[in-house]
Amino acid sequence: MMSRSLFTTLACLLLSFSLLGLGRAHAQDYPSKVVRLIVGNAPGGSTDVPSRWITTKLAEVWGRPVIADFRGGAAG
C-alpha cells in the first residue's frame, strides 16, 4: 500500500509537469507538403468531377495545394 506522503509527492509532481507543459507533444502542421489524391480511373470518367471538387474543398480547408492524380487502368 502506498503511503500518504508518497502519494502526495507523486500527485504534486504530476501536477507540476502538466502545468509546465512538459507532458505535451508538439505536433507539426499537417499537411506540410502538396497532397495527392490518387484516383483509380482515367480523367474524364465518372469520378473526374467529384474528385476535383473534393480536392478544391480540401485545399480550402487545409490551406495547402491538393492535386487529383488520375491513374487509369490499374484495376480501376
Side-chain angles (χ1 to χ4, degrees):
M1 185 182 267
M2 195 183 294
S3 69
R4 181 173 280 235
S5 63
L6 180 60
F7 179 76
T8 306
T9 304
L10 288 176
C12 288
L13 281 174
L14 289 175
L15 181 62
S16 64
F17 282 144
S18 65
L19 291 177
L20 291 175
L22 297 177
R24 296 183 196 159
H26 297 284
Q28 296 176 352
D29 290 334
Y30 178 81
S32 60
K33 299 180 190 178
V34 175
V35 176
R36 291 181 145 198
L37 177 69
I38 307 282
V39 182
N41 294 336
S46 62
T47 59
D48 188 10
V49 174
S51 61
R52 292 182 192 274
W53 182 79
I54 289 171
T55 56
T56 55
K57 293 299 177 184
L58 286 175
E60 289 173 6
V61 171
W62 288 341
R64 303 273 188 217
V66 180
I67 298 171
D69 190 3
F70 293 96
R71 306 246 175 129

